[in-house]
Amino acid sequence: MNRRTFLLGTASGFSVLALAACVTPQPVPSPSVTPSTLTPSIVPQPLTVSRTNWSSDPFSRGSFSYAAVGATPEHRVDLGQSVDARVFFAGEATAAEEPGTVQGARASGLLAASQVRDVAAPGERITVIGAGIAGITAARQLVDDGFNVVVIEARDRIGGRIDTVSGDWPFPIERGPSFVHRTSVDFLDDELTALGVRLLPFARTPEVRTRAGAVVDVSPLGAQAVAGALSWAASQQQDVSVERALIDSGEASLSKTPNAEGLSDADWLEYEIATKLKVESGATPSQQSAWYTTDIASTDDDQIVIGGYSTLLNSDAEGLELLLSKVVNRVAHDNNGVSLRLGTGESLSADRVIVTVPLGVLKDAAIEFSPALPFSHRGAIAALGMGVVDKIWLRFDVPFWDTSARLWTIVGEDADFPVWINMMPLTGEPVLMGLVAAENATRLSELDDDAFLAAALTGLEPFLAVPDAK
């Protein structure tokens, strides 16, 4: 299929979730970089830069799970089942509701804690692998229920991909999730507010620009084509990819003839895929299930976290027994309990264990299970996909842009960074957050920091303020 038809372009993640994993450590990019020698660009150089690289992070191997072709919600349920009442699982990939989100991960941690509580005797020793939101939530609940709990974490910090960074930034930036979703029905925003964390409403209405910098209105053609393809797929006898659904339903057959603005109908389908389909899944349309692809409907009840997502983790982790920088590479169990082997060669024993490592770590078989996991678990791990969404944060001396829009997007050409969040109207600070997803994120993950920054600055060129005519 033609590259320009609809499949390429990159996007961003409004629901980047990450949870800690326990595998053999490898170098991870530093949280913040002060640029020195940079590729020349017509966009001014930033004062401070921070990038993520979740696909190369050995403790995550991706950003969050998605429904690959052939995967079903039942696979998530299967993955969340306990094994012989000794080995339990939690994490966003096991969440039947709201997978890929902080809310879904928290709910999975509470569910795992309740499963343990149903079978464990008071005072039993429970080990939790992973100090992300699911692991900390489960541990907090079990400690409050009177169990003896230890949390083992491969990183030197808690949080996983909830990664709040301060330092050289005028306000805490979020290298992991930045948003709280569905605040009209969920209550995570209330918990954060009670902890003193600042949140602000964030409407997803974008200012859309062409690569030439012209501001254009969003055409509904792309969204209509995707909706039509998914409706067609729902009536088929077997699941197909979103790509296949677009082609076979005829919805991808849009005109490529440009209008006066230089945009074609096909450009708007590519735009919908780049800024929504890939945004929510971290995967290409060829990878996503047309039956169970992430709900990409826009919502008006999202809030953006300004004051530090990690505050929630720090609060729940208070008083917990934590073993940081400890890698678990083997989990064995029998009728007498559970034995864990660490990367250092040490062994730990417990009555039961909750495994909260990300799906990407399970897919890489970074942890050996003895006996082997049941087919239902292995089938779920194989069926579900692990998406990739990365961020770059840029702090400038002064704004080079002349728009007060909070959400910026680009249409009309495949771009590595077609989605940007403008923090200026939210915080008064000239800070931007750019996002890249799916195959573009995977490709850029191989770049060094300077090359990654150069790609990001190129993506900002449509938003350069036009000088006043003299």
Side-chain angles (χ1 to χ4, degrees):
M1 181 161 192
N2 189 295
R3 172 184 173 90
R4 288 282 300 161
T5 303
F6 65 83
L7 295 183
L8 296 185
T10 65
S12 59
F14 292 105
S15 55
V16 180
L17 171 73
L19 305 165
C22 300
V23 295
T24 303
Q26 298 176 13
V28 179
S30 57
S32 294
V33 178
T34 300
S36 52
T37 304
L38 301 171
T39 304
S41 171
I42 59 175
V43 174
Q45 298 296 330
L47 299 177
T48 313
V49 180
S50 180
R51 67 175 284 194
T52 66
N53 196 343
W54 296 116
S55 63
S56 297
D57 188 323
F59 306 139
S60 56
R61 299 299 184 188
S63 300
F64 47 84
S65 66
Y66 69 90
V69 180
T72 69
E74 287 70 30
H75 283 116
R76 298 187 184 278
V77 175
D78 288 343
L79 185 56
Q81 297 300 305
S82 66
V83 179
D84 298 330
R86 293 292 177 184
V87 181
F88 299 78
F89 290 86
E92 58 84 16
T94 72
E97 300 292 333
E98 299 185 278
T101 68
V102 173
Q103 292 98 312
R106 288 196 87 199
S108 77
L110 291 173
L111 177 60
S114 70
Q115 292 172 338
V116 170
R117 187 174 58 243
D118 289 343
V119 298
E124 280 192 1
R125 183 170 179 81
I126 312 299
T127 299
V128 177
I129 303 176
I133 188 66
I136 293 296
T137 298
R140 176 80 274 154
Q141 185 63 54
L142 290 171
V143 167
D144 291 347
D145 289 340
F147 291 95
N148 182 5
V149 180
V150 60
V151 182
I152 304 177
E153 168 56 44
R155 303 179 193 272
D156 60 1
R157 61 171 179 83
I158 67 170
R161 279 163 286 175
I162 290 181
D163 186 10
T164 305
V165 175
S166 298
D168 296 331
W169 299 91
F171 57 89
I173 66 167
E174 304 295 342
R175 288 162 48 81
S178 293
F179 293 85
V180 178
H181 302 287
R182 294 163 50 86
T183 56
S184 61
V185 295
D186 288 321
F187 304 103
L188 183 57
D189 58 320
D190 294 333
E191 294 183 57
L192 288 165
T193 300
L195 292 169
V197 178
R198 184 185 177 202
L199 298 95
L200 293 173
F202 192 90
R204 292 195 188 186
T205 304
E207 178 175 298
V208 186
R209 297 199 180 192
T210 66
R211 287 293 298 162
V215 178
V216 295
D217 294 328
V218 178
S219 166
L221 290 175
Q224 291 170 356
V226 171
L230 297 183
S231 177
W232 172 88
S235 65
Q236 303 306 301
Q237 292 299 309
Q238 65 181 29
D239 190 16
V240 296
S241 69
V242 174
E243 172 188 281
R244 192 78 262 159
L246 282 162
I247 297 171
D248 291 355
S249 67
E251 296 288 352
S253 300
L254 297 178
S255 171
K256 298 179 184 178
T257 303
N259 59 17
E261 296 172 326
L263 299 173
S264 69
D265 295 347
D267 285 326
W268 288 108
L269 176 53
E270 188 172 320
Y271 172 83
E272 182 74 8
I273 290 168
T275 61
K276 291 187 179 178
L277 274 175
K278 293 182 181 180
V279 167
E280 300 298 339
S281 67
T284 66
S286 64
Q287 297 170 316
Q288 296 178 49
S289 161
W291 279 358
Y292 299 109
T293 191
T294 305
D295 180 8
I296 60 172
S298 296
T299 61
D300 58 4
D301 58 354
D302 283 353
Q303 294 194 45
I304 188 168
V305 179
I306 303 297
Y309 227 133
S310 62
T311 305
L312 180 66
L313 273 298
N314 294 332
S315 175
D316 285 348
E318 186 175 352
L320 295 181
E321 182 180 353
L322 300 169
L323 298 180
L324 301 180
S325 301
K326 298 293 185 181
V327 176
V328 175
N329 54 31
R330 188 173 189 267
V331 175
H333 77 276
D334 56 25
N335 292 333
N336 297 316
V338 178
S339 175
L340 309 179
R341 186 179 66 201
L342 306 184
T344 57
E346 301 170 88
S347 294
L348 295 177
S349 297
D351 294 296
R352 306 176 203 279
V353 64
I354 301 177
V355 180
T356 73
V357 301
L359 176 68
V361 175
L362 295 174
K363 292 177 80 70
D364 278 358
I367 297 178
E368 176 191 356
F369 291 90
S370 178
L373 293 177
F375 285 128
S376 58
H377 287 72
R378 283 181 276 167
I381 292 168
L384 294 167
M386 191 68 172
V388 183
V389 180
D390 277 312
K391 292 183 177 183
I392 188 167
W393 284 89
L394 306 173
R395 179 174 69 92
F396 294 89
D397 183 24
V398 295
F400 61 81
W401 54 92
D402 58 3
T403 175
S404 60
R406 299 179 180 186
L407 177 61
W408 306 347
T409 55
I410 300 172
V411 64
E413 186 173 322
D414 183 24
D416 284 329
F417 290 86
V419 178
W420 290 88
I421 308 298
N422 176 17
M423 303 301 291
M424 187 77 178
L426 296 164
T427 66
E429 299 289 347
V431 175
L432 302 176
M433 179 177 71
L435 304 109
V436 55
E439 80 288 357
N440 295 50
T442 301
R443 173 172 49 81
L444 293 189
S445 71
E446 301 178 0
L447 301 182
D448 63 22
D449 290 336
D450 283 357
F452 192 86
L453 173 61
L457 295 181
T458 298
L460 282 170
E461 290 176 0
F463 303 99
L464 277 167
V466 179
D468 293 332
K470 299 295 184 180

